[in-house]
Amino acid sequence: MDMNNLPNHVGIIMDGNGRWAKARNLKRSMGHKAGADNLEKLLKHIFGLGIKYVSVYAFSCENFKRDADEVNFLMDLFVKMFGLKKKKFVKDQIKVIFSGCTDNLRSDVLDSMNNLMDATKDFDNHVFNVCLNYSGRREIVDMAKKISTMVVDKKINTDDIDEELVNKYMYQELPDLDFVIRTSGEMRISNFMLWQSSYAEYYFPNTLFPDFNGEEFDKAIMEYQSRHRRFGGYDEKK
Ligand code: FPP
């Protein structure tokens, strides 16, 4: 692995928890629990390599269509993880931020999110962005509403709207995603960080998320490093 050519911002669509559980005759929720345990170890590995930004897809707005039992289990898991792991995030100096909207979220979930954000807000070596109750299209719609309100209020002119300003009014102001991994063999973006992934490289390992460990991540990085990113220009290496 070339430590001088690591992505600055990695996105992970954590897919396959349900299938992982099914293969073991367990309830789907046990797959989410295994996914959460894996995420903790994986984050340590990724930040340990020196990667600065990690975004994960924890819960999409569409996930509310799942059975109430599964949704409640996930919400309880978030509250538990954000509470229990707060000390660890603080010790490791990881800033935790959230992307998504607040509609339909339980107040204990919102409280645990606000609590964790507040406890880690002054760090900036590592940033962990959790997409929770997130939809990429909704993020763009919400940005459009914020910016149009500023135009109506005459705080800015239409001519002031450029890519930098749009990025500033997404849920979080983040650098572009360099690399997006979706586990479990599904090859879809499913509304994940549409604006931020415009120039990202994609990687779709067959491994189910609870099994996607540090070794698998390193393999992914080597694949990333073997690709030539051109950003619409010519290939410098040719
Ligand atoms: C998709 O797998 C996974 C999810 C909808 C939940 C992801 C959440 C976690 C890994 C929990 C930990 C997160 C945090 C931030 C503490 P799936 O259920 O669609 O799997 P399937 O496609 O095999 O059914």
Side-chain angles (χ1 to χ4, degrees):
M1 193 191 313
D2 177 358
M3 300 305 276
N4 296 315
N5 182 23
L6 291 169
N8 178 45
H9 187 183
V10 174
I12 308 176
I13 304 176
M14 308 183 287
D15 201 3
N17 294 343
R19 277 163 284 165
W20 184 93
K22 198 169 171 220
R24 287 162 181 76
N25 259 324
L26 298 169
K27 287 213 307 209
R28 293 180 56 80
S29 45
M30 289 304 104
H32 296 314
K33 170 77 177 64
D37 293 342
N38 184 50
L39 178 60
E40 192 183 344
K41 286 185 250 164
L42 192 59
L43 273 185
K44 195 173 152 75
H45 178 79
I46 300 176
F47 286 135
L49 291 173
I51 289 172
K52 179 159 180 180
Y53 294 91
V54 177
S55 290
V56 296
Y57 209 173
F59 195 88
S60 70
C61 295
E62 293 77 26
N63 286 149
F64 270 116
K65 291 184 202 144
R66 296 188 176 198
D67 288 349
D69 273 3
E70 184 174 349
V71 172
N72 278 325
F73 181 90
L74 276 167
M75 294 300 151
D76 290 344
L77 184 64
F78 296 143
V79 173
K80 211 162 94 187
M81 294 292 285
F82 300 153
L84 279 177
K85 304 298 166 197
K86 188 169 87 179
K87 264 200 194 139
K88 206 156 176 278
F89 283 118
V90 171
K91 185 173 152 276
D92 296 342
Q93 309 213 326
I94 295 166
K95 178 178 187 163
V96 185
I97 55 177
F98 291 91
S99 294
C101 59
T102 53
D103 305 7
N104 305 319
L105 281 182
R106 284 172 5 198
S107 63
D108 61 334
V109 178
L110 289 170
D111 287 349
S112 71
M113 291 162 67
N114 288 329
N115 221 303
L116 186 55
M117 261 191 305
D118 196 54
T120 61
K121 67 178 188 318
D122 296 327
F123 305 131
D124 69 355
N125 272 350
H126 298 296
V127 179
F128 178 40
N129 173 45
V130 183
C131 295
L132 202 166
N133 202 18
Y134 177 84
S135 144
R137 284 190 173 177
R138 170 81 190 258
E139 179 174 35
I140 292 170
V141 169
D142 286 347
M143 169 278 296
K145 286 184 185 164
K146 287 181 232 167
I147 292 185
S148 54
T149 305
M150 291 194 298
V151 173
V152 171
D153 292 347
K154 303 216 167 353
K155 294 201 172 108
I156 56 167
N157 298 313
T158 311
D159 286 343
D160 298 330
I161 303 173
D162 58 11
E163 292 188 13
E164 198 184 329
L165 188 90
V166 166
N167 198 46
K168 200 167 159 191
Y169 287 94
M170 302 309 274
Y171 290 132
Q172 298 289 346
E173 189 179 1
L174 286 163
D176 280 357
L177 278 160
D178 301 296
F179 191 36
V180 175
I181 300 168
R182 180 176 190 150
T183 55
S184 87
E186 305 289 341
M187 294 191 220
R188 291 186 296 279
I189 308 178
S190 301
N191 223 348
F192 179 66
M193 299 185 81
L194 301 177
W195 167 263
Q196 298 85 348
S197 63
S198 300
Y199 286 100
E201 292 288 338
Y202 281 89
Y203 181 70
F204 301 105
N206 287 324
T207 316
L208 305 175
F209 184 70
D211 294 327
F212 190 78
N213 57 18
E215 202 179 314
E216 294 270 337
F217 184 82
D218 292 354
K219 257 200 317 202
I221 292 294
M222 280 180 302
E223 167 68 28
Y224 168 83
Q225 292 178 338
S226 73
R227 299 186 196 172
H228 298 163
R229 300 177 74 204
R230 291 181 295 165
F231 300 98
Y234 295 113
D235 192 337
E236 288 161 24
K237 297 193 181 162
K238 275 190 188 150

